[in-house]
Amino acid sequence: MGKVRSLLGLLKPELPIAAGICVVVGQALALGQAPDLDIALLGFLIGFLISGSEMVSNDLFDLEVDRINHPDRPLPSGQVSVSEVVLFTIILSLSGLLIAALLGPLTLAFTSIIWVLGMLYNWRLKSLGLPGNAIVALSVGMTFVLGGMMVGRPDSGLVWTFALMAAMFDLAEEISGGVMDAEGDALRGSRSLARLYGRRTALTFVTLLFSIFILLGTIPFLMGWLGLPYLILIIMADAAIAFLVVRLWKANTPKEGRNVQRLLYLIMMVFIVAIFLVVIA
């Protein structure tokens, strides 16, 4: 059981769960209603497994950095071995790609692109700073498009709007993470915005990205795609995000900053689930 808990620690289940939910929400946004249970389950599993493989493999490539930033994680602390992590990554990857293959070549190709981008980021692109951050954000946005593709409507304006919102949000999170992990990033020579231009510049860019997220969030209401319940939700989400961005600026330690990031992530997930409920109501 200790080994299982350690592997789940590598998986960071909340992130793959979020990826699976985003695929299902993309389906609902494209259809304007709840997707069939079977396609929703398959979409969730693809998002969960592909994201999970990227989470697990990330610890492989980040081993030396994690010895400084996160020495308590399963791999740097010795709770699991490198070979066990490699095997777990392979199982998750093949499972996700196999399910995608069952849904046709287009779904498999799109899923494969997401997987390749994630692995390239873990392997080489992370140290590039902003370009690497953009790759992660792109992958997150693509989960919504994957959902729309699975139900035959990849061109939905609503799907693409939420894909852009998710990408802006995640890019802001990635850059703010570079602010919190500056010490470990220095070890691998990362060209994060925080290391190249300083904390203030990085957080200014983070604030700009969250502002873009807020502006994009008005589009579904202004276009008439979603009504008053959505408007209430987005106003509440925007207010919470603005409050937490201020707290991010005031964070005096990396630990405080990471706590704010967790709250931002939680708000985003609650918002996405709430939007799903509004769409299917």
Side-chain angles (χ1 to χ4, degrees):
M1 290 303 296
K3 185 72 69 175
V4 171
R5 283 194 295 269
S6 296
L7 289 173
L8 288 177
L10 285 171
L11 188 61
K12 307 174 189 70
E14 67 277 6
L15 297 177
I17 287 173
I21 289 174
C22 287
V23 176
V24 177
V25 172
Q27 295 173 353
L29 291 170
L31 292 170
Q33 62 185 35
D36 292 339
L37 183 58
D38 57 345
I39 197 69
L41 178 59
L42 291 174
F44 177 84
L45 287 175
I46 291 173
F48 180 89
L49 293 167
I50 295 301
S51 176
S53 70
E54 294 168 356
M55 291 300 104
V56 174
S57 64
N58 180 66
D59 280 38
L60 278 174
F61 296 108
D62 270 4
L63 179 56
E64 295 305 319
V65 175
D66 283 347
R67 294 188 195 278
I68 294 175
N69 285 340
H70 307 286
D72 56 333
R73 283 182 176 170
L75 191 55
S77 65
Q79 298 172 43
V80 293
S81 68
V82 170
S83 60
E84 289 170 335
V85 176
V86 170
L87 178 60
F88 195 28
T89 299
I90 292 173
I91 291 172
L92 291 168
S93 300
L94 291 180
S95 298
L97 293 172
L98 177 60
I99 294 174
L102 296 175
L103 297 173
L106 188 59
T107 299
L108 175 59
F110 201 77
T111 302
S112 298
I113 291 172
I114 296 175
W115 181 84
V116 168
L117 287 175
M119 292 300 168
L120 284 175
Y121 172 79
N122 289 343
W123 177 45
R124 291 291 186 189
L125 301 182
K126 183 180 296 186
S127 61
L128 297 181
L130 185 58
N133 297 150
I135 289 295
V136 176
L138 175 64
S139 298
V140 171
M142 287 172 70
T143 59
F144 287 90
V145 180
L146 175 61
M149 182 177 295
M150 291 179 67
V151 296
R153 299 180 184 178
D155 57 343
S156 164
L158 190 54
V159 168
W160 279 94
T161 299
F162 272 87
L164 287 172
M165 289 172 65
M168 291 300 104
F169 189 96
D170 191 75
L171 183 54
E173 284 272 83
E174 288 290 320
I175 294 172
S176 65
V179 175
M180 308 311 151
D181 292 339
E183 181 182 355
D185 286 345
L187 179 65
R188 66 171 172 231
S190 171
R191 297 177 57 82
S192 68
L193 284 183
R195 288 200 65 240
L196 289 177
Y197 304 108
R199 179 179 185 273
R200 184 180 181 85
T201 299
L203 288 179
T204 298
F205 202 66
V206 167
T207 304
L208 174 62
L209 289 168
F210 278 126
S211 299
I212 294 173
F213 170 88
I214 290 172
L215 290 174
L216 287 171
T218 65
I219 293 176
F221 181 76
L222 295 176
M223 294 295 293
W225 295 332
L226 295 173
L228 184 60
Y230 168 79
L231 180 62
I232 295 171
L233 283 174
I234 192 65
I235 290 174
M236 293 173 60
D238 290 345
I241 289 170
F243 172 76
L244 289 174
V245 169
V246 172
R247 285 190 57 186
L248 199 60
W249 275 91
K250 294 181 177 180
N252 294 317
T253 65
K255 182 178 180 180
E256 288 181 17
R258 291 188 188 105
N259 287 338
V260 174
Q261 284 186 292
R262 292 188 189 98
L263 288 174
L264 281 165
Y265 175 78
L266 178 62
I267 287 170
M268 185 60 173
M269 286 315 304
V270 170
F271 172 67
I272 289 173
V273 172
I275 292 303
F276 176 77
L277 296 176
V278 166
V279 171
I280 69 173

